[in-house]
Amino acid sequence: MSIAKLGAVVVDCPDPVALGRFYAELLGGEIEDDGEGWVDLKGVPGAPLAFQLSPGHVPPKWPSPEESQQFHLDVTVEDMDAAEEQVLAIGATVLDAADRKRSWRVYADPAGHPFCLCAC
């Protein structure tokens, strides 16, 4: 028996609308902006995502043994190369794609949060 259920994964960022749009392009769904620094991503299977205004947001450094990456999302894709092309087109940056034969590659969203494309 659990104590609670997960309500949402909330991501701090400097521009919740822009980051919400990025993840809507990546995962599907629609953003719902409350106009006060909070954006929900609606209509996506899995744990709900929300984006919260954080004016002092400092992106994680990846990889960095001295600092935490804070969190990262793993997203599953069918075609790694096609997905890479698409996420780069919507504003992601490559953090680690050195070993192109492995089943995952690491990128940063526009606010600097790491996420992995996984063909697992």
Side-chain angles (χ1 to χ4, degrees):
M1 177 185 264
S2 66
I3 295 171
K5 64 180 183 176
L6 181 62
V9 174
V10 181
V11 180
D12 285 357
C13 60
D15 186 342
V17 172
L19 198 57
R21 287 183 181 140
F22 172 84
Y23 280 100
E25 286 286 324
L26 178 64
L27 302 171
E30 299 288 328
I31 64 167
E32 186 176 285
D33 178 9
D34 77 353
E36 296 184 22
W38 185 276
V39 170
D40 287 304
L41 181 58
K42 301 285 190 175
V44 179
L49 282 176
F51 307 94
Q52 173 177 275
L53 177 63
S54 177
H57 173 72
V58 177
K61 292 182 173 77
W62 191 96
S64 174
E66 295 85 32
E67 298 185 40
S68 168
Q69 68 174 327
Q70 299 173 14
F71 80 100
H72 77 270
L73 300 175
D74 286 347
V75 296
T76 304
V77 298
E78 299 269 332
D79 181 330
M80 186 77 75
D81 293 329
E84 178 178 73
E85 184 177 316
Q86 292 170 319
V87 298
L88 294 176
I90 63 172
T93 55
V94 176
L95 292 179
D96 180 11
D99 182 355
R100 306 208 41 97
K101 294 182 193 261
R102 69 179 177 218
S103 63
W104 51 273
R105 297 179 192 162
V106 186
Y107 304 85
D109 68 24
H113 303 103
F115 70 94
C116 295
L117 294 180
C118 302
C120 305

